[in-house]
Amino acid sequence: MCGIIGITGRDDAVEGIVAGLKRLEYRGYDSAGAVIPDGQQLRAVKRAGKLEEFVHALEGQPMASTCGIGHTRWATHGAPTDRNAHPHLDPTGRVAVVHNGIIENYQLLKAELGDVRFASDTDTEVVAYHVARELDALDTPDLAEAVRRTVRRLKGAFALCFVAIDDPETIVVAKKEAPLIVAHADGVGYCASDVAALIAHTRDVAALLDGQVAVIRPDGLEITDVDGNPAQPHEYTVHWDLEAAEKQGYDSFMLKEIFEQPQAVHDTLLDRHTASEPGAAPALHLDELHIDERELARIDKVFILACGTSLHAGMVGKLAIEHWAGIPVDVEVASEFRYRDPIVDAHTLVIAISQSGETVDTIAAASHARDQRAPVLAICNVVGSTLAREADGVLYTHAGPEVGVAATKTFVTQIVGCLLTGLYLSQVRGRMFATETADILSRLQQMPAAIEQVLELDGEIRELAERYKDTDYTMFIGRHAGLPIAMEGALKLKEISYLHAEAFPAGEMKHGPIALIESGSLVVALAPGGHVFPKMVSNIQEVRARGASVLAIGTDGSAADLKEHADHVLTLPEPTHELATTVLSTVPLQLFAYHVATLRGEDVDKPRNLAKTVTVE
Ligand code: AGP
């Protein structure tokens, strides 16, 4: 989604803005622009298309300045064109704004201005007009005060960033329900939508809280609430570095991130199982959880709320919690949850899963549950993110920065987070002996080595991708723990290759979807060994009898049988636990999607229409 970067106090501010926008590209965008105060005017350059178009447009422009703001836009209101690209200026060219979010009452705000011709179709432009009007109404120009007066009247979600010609070294930002980070280091002030744009300059950052306004100058930051009272943001240190966010020789971030999965899973499991004091039996410790164990012991229902890939991890979480902790679990698309009447109370645990911690649907659903007194546990990858801050407890996945839009390593670590949560709930409710928990944990510790083995299938998977890259329609089927992985496999293939792909519970095929199968269809069947394996074999036979080619994902124990029924079998090492299979069987599906997409010439890191961080409803 839209990316914002602001810099003040650097001789090469424009270069810094371009570099910052490059770091924000992964969020997804369709145009880019920047504005700098230059003498007596605000000079704006903006272009639809990739960042290169914008950089090309900058060439030859007198853009020397110590201050400026830049933006990558992901279109919501108005097509992705030059005129709708940010920044937007008021008609006198006195104030410029860039924005991430949606101003819901923009029509009303436009109507208040009377018969004015707007230069764009966006919901953002009107904000610059109102700030300019507030500036005119003040005895002495004060951009921060004009912004505060304006944002008090805005409805919707926004991270807004302004510059004005009256005070050309000052940037003012305001935030509500969209992320905004500010920082100050070595005489330079910064703001950005996320830390990826700032880590080249500083790791000590502050996330603004809802309703806060920051004034950013070369000599420091000043943060207030919307009424001008001093306010405290959430300050933290970023622990990953620039190198972790680089491609390190891989062709794409996605491929690099797929190959980082053994490490990511290892890091997420690290130090979770220790004795609290010398001599005591080791127990599972989720130190960041901060939800009282007695409260968790009283829980009689769990809701898992998430979107997209995170939702699929949540489906594995349901199996783990019901199996180990014996608590009923519902998994729900976060964007649906708050628009019905979910039965939630203080005995309901809500688990909100989000890689970014900034997905507005998930944040809103979690906050709806909290309003009804339900404790909220976030499973999240980004330290200091909005969801992590607002939840009662957090289980951080330690996947490191994920730049590719398609979630890969964060998905498998979310599964690990869900397994740990299931075991922990079982522990606090006394459902298993400590030795049983320890045994399962030690078996989970073997996952990183097993993922390494699965990654060795890469060459074989590339050959399969070569063969099936032009298949228009692929169906993924699975049962039990295989179903969420089938769904994730279909999502991965469609989001980066733009080919049609769907997933079904294998047992549902005969109730309708099997009508789609014809000669030339490809069916990917999740068929590791386990209690549903014989049923999967029957379902594979049904689709094969109707002409489908079957690519089966099996395990050492099931592969020999599968070879009789499937056209191709990818054999995974025997899992150390049935639910841990989910982590292993995800990997070949990621690689298959990756190779199909790259063989078709698609940009896997920045798939069309998609954004890494979805900050609008
Ligand atoms: C997955 O590849 C997608 N990028 C998308 O479905 C993503 O998982 C979803 O938007 C949720 O994001 P979150 O985990 O950051 O909340």
Side-chain angles (χ1 to χ4, degrees):
M1 295 259 130
C2 303
I4 293 174
I5 172 87
I7 297 178
T8 181
R10 253 178 68 168
D11 289 340
D12 58 349
V14 176
E15 278 165 42
I17 287 168
V18 171
L21 291 180
K22 264 205 143 338
R23 297 240 167 259
L24 296 174
E25 267 192 302
Y26 79 97
R27 294 168 65 91
Y29 71 104
D30 39 49
S31 60
V35 67
I36 60 152
D38 173 24
Q40 287 312 300
Q41 61 173 327
L42 294 176
R43 193 181 289 275
V45 175
K46 49 193 195 170
R47 286 292 182 275
K50 292 285 175 202
L51 201 54
E52 292 75 44
E53 304 291 330
F54 161 69
V55 173
H56 188 62
L58 280 178
E59 283 163 16
Q61 295 265 358
M63 295 291 278
S65 173
T66 58
C67 175
I69 60 178
H71 189 261
T72 44
R73 172 177 187 250
W74 188 83
T76 57
H77 293 58
T81 56
D82 287 356
R83 68 192 288 273
N84 288 331
H86 296 207
H88 294 288
L89 277 70
D90 77 292
T92 65
R94 187 179 183 190
V95 173
V97 64
V98 297
H99 168 217
N100 172 20
I102 291 177
I103 306 297
E104 287 173 358
N105 58 339
Y106 77 103
Q107 298 281 24
L108 197 74
L109 295 168
K110 276 187 170 181
E112 283 178 14
L113 297 170
D115 192 16
V116 171
R117 275 177 74 89
F118 288 90
S120 76
D121 310 315
T122 65
D123 53 329
T124 304
E125 187 182 359
V126 68
V127 180
Y129 286 47
H130 276 272
V131 170
R133 236 169 55 151
E134 295 291 356
L135 265 180
D136 287 338
L138 292 166
D139 293 338
T140 43
D142 179 348
L143 179 62
E145 180 54 21
V147 168
R148 284 192 285 263
R149 288 182 183 197
T150 305
V151 297
R152 287 202 287 259
R153 307 191 50 229
L154 300 184
K155 294 209 175 357
F158 51 80
L160 288 160
C161 176
F162 302 87
V163 285
I165 202 62
D166 307 283
D167 189 0
E169 290 207 323
T170 297
I171 296 171
V172 177
V173 294
K175 175 236 167 1
K176 182 183 162 239
E177 293 171 22
L180 198 51
I181 313 293
V182 295
H184 184 266
D186 306 323
V188 185
Y190 301 94
C191 64
S193 309
D194 73 55
V195 291
L198 300 184
I199 47 169
H201 313 296
T202 178
R203 305 239 192 117
D204 296 318
V205 300
L208 292 191
L209 306 186
D210 278 354
Q212 293 186 340
V213 173
V215 179
I216 304 160
R217 297 196 184 94
D219 59 0
L221 305 171
E222 186 189 318
I223 296 161
T224 66
D225 62 18
V226 278
D227 297 316
N229 303 307
Q232 187 57 38
H234 173 75
E235 292 172 354
Y236 63 101
T237 302
V238 182
H239 291 293
W240 47 274
D241 57 20
L242 212 48
E243 201 192 330
E246 304 284 3
K247 281 192 203 157
Q248 294 170 358
Y250 285 91
D251 287 344
S252 66
F253 282 109
M254 183 180 174
L255 192 61
K256 170 185 164 246
E257 288 157 4
I258 290 173
F259 276 82
E260 283 173 344
Q261 293 181 113
Q263 188 66 48
V265 167
H266 170 270
D267 292 351
T268 303
L269 283 166
L270 201 65
D271 288 339
R272 305 287 194 183
H273 186 236
T274 51
S276 50
E277 50 197 63
L284 187 58
H285 291 291
L286 304 181
D287 289 339
E288 340 70 303
L289 215 63
H290 299 311
I291 302 178
D292 192 281
E293 289 197 0
R294 284 162 304 186
E295 197 178 346
L296 289 176
R298 284 194 297 269
I299 292 300
D300 58 18
K301 181 179 179 180
V302 175
F303 270 113
I304 299 182
L305 307 175
C307 306
T309 289
S310 300
L311 187 77
H312 301 151
M315 291 170 69
V316 180
K318 171 185 166 75
L319 299 177
I321 294 169
E322 290 183 342
H323 179 63
W324 285 323
I327 315 171
V329 183
D330 275 346
V331 186
E332 189 159 342
V333 174
S335 54
E336 289 295 316
F337 183 75
R338 71 175 169 149
Y339 295 111
R340 60 181 186 84
D341 300 309
I343 313 297
V344 176
D345 61 24
H347 298 298
T348 310
L349 174 67
V350 167
I351 302 178
I353 308 178
S354 172
Q355 181 286 128
S356 60
E358 301 296 351
T359 299
V360 82
D361 289 322
T362 310
I363 293 167
S367 124
H368 184 62
R370 283 195 87 203
D371 290 346
Q372 293 166 71
R373 297 183 300 128
V376 173
L377 164 64
I379 297 182
C380 191
N381 193 46
V382 178
V383 176
S385 58
T386 305
L387 182 67
R389 290 197 312 271
E390 291 183 359
D392 299 287
V394 191
L395 193 160
Y396 281 116
T397 52
H398 295 294
E402 186 175 73
V403 177
V405 165
T408 53
K409 61 175 177 169
T410 56
F411 175 62
V412 293
T413 57
Q414 284 171 341
I415 293 179
V416 173
C418 285
L419 299 182
L420 291 172
T421 305
L423 287 173
Y424 185 71
L425 288 174
S426 158
Q427 178 177 287
V428 298
R429 296 162 77 86
R431 295 259 312 179
M432 273 197 277
F433 292 114
T435 48
E436 285 178 273
T437 312
D439 176 53
I440 295 170
L441 274 164
S442 78
R443 287 192 277 143
L444 295 183
Q445 307 283 358
Q446 294 163 32
M447 276 192 293
I451 302 171
E452 295 281 7
Q453 273 180 266
V454 181
L455 289 168
E456 288 172 15
L457 297 172
D458 186 41
E460 199 180 331
I461 294 169
R462 191 182 190 282
E463 282 170 25
L464 288 168
E466 187 81 63
R467 182 166 181 157
Y468 290 108
K469 68 179 189 317
D470 297 318
T471 304
D472 289 340
Y473 180 72
T474 305
M475 193 181 274
F476 290 73
I477 58 173
R479 284 173 177 258
H480 185 245
L483 177 59
I485 307 312
M487 295 175 77
E488 177 59 11
L491 176 65
K492 228 63 319 169
L493 184 60
K494 78 180 98 170
E495 72 180 332
I496 59 172
S497 73
Y498 318 138
L499 291 168
H500 288 272
E502 277 181 296
F504 294 102
E508 271 293 290
M509 293 291 289
K510 56 192 175 291
H511 299 290
I514 202 164
L516 290 165
I517 300 295
E518 57 186 357
S519 174
S521 306
L522 175 63
V523 174
V524 179
L526 278 295
H531 67 293
V532 293
F533 179 68
K535 305 282 176 211
M536 279 304 300
V537 170
S538 306
N539 299 134
I540 288 171
Q541 284 170 331
E542 285 157 15
V543 293
R544 206 131 176 262
R546 287 159 179 84
S549 300
V550 174
L551 163 56
I553 313 295
T555 46
D556 279 336
S558 72
D561 267 2
L562 278 174
K563 280 181 182 146
E564 282 178 36
H565 306 292
D567 298 83
H568 317 279
V569 180
L570 291 170
T571 308
L572 312 176
E574 204 54 55
T576 51
H577 188 278
E578 199 168 341
L579 289 175
T581 324
T582 51
V583 168
L584 303 189
S585 52
T586 298
V587 180
L589 305 190
Q590 296 167 337
L591 287 168
F592 183 70
Y594 169 80
H595 287 302
V596 168
T598 47
L599 288 166
R600 292 172 64 84
E602 307 300 350
D603 178 350
V604 293
D605 284 339
K606 288 175 241 137
R608 72 183 183 206
N609 303 337
L610 294 180
K612 182 73 183 163
T613 313
V614 184
T615 50
V616 294
E617 268 201 77

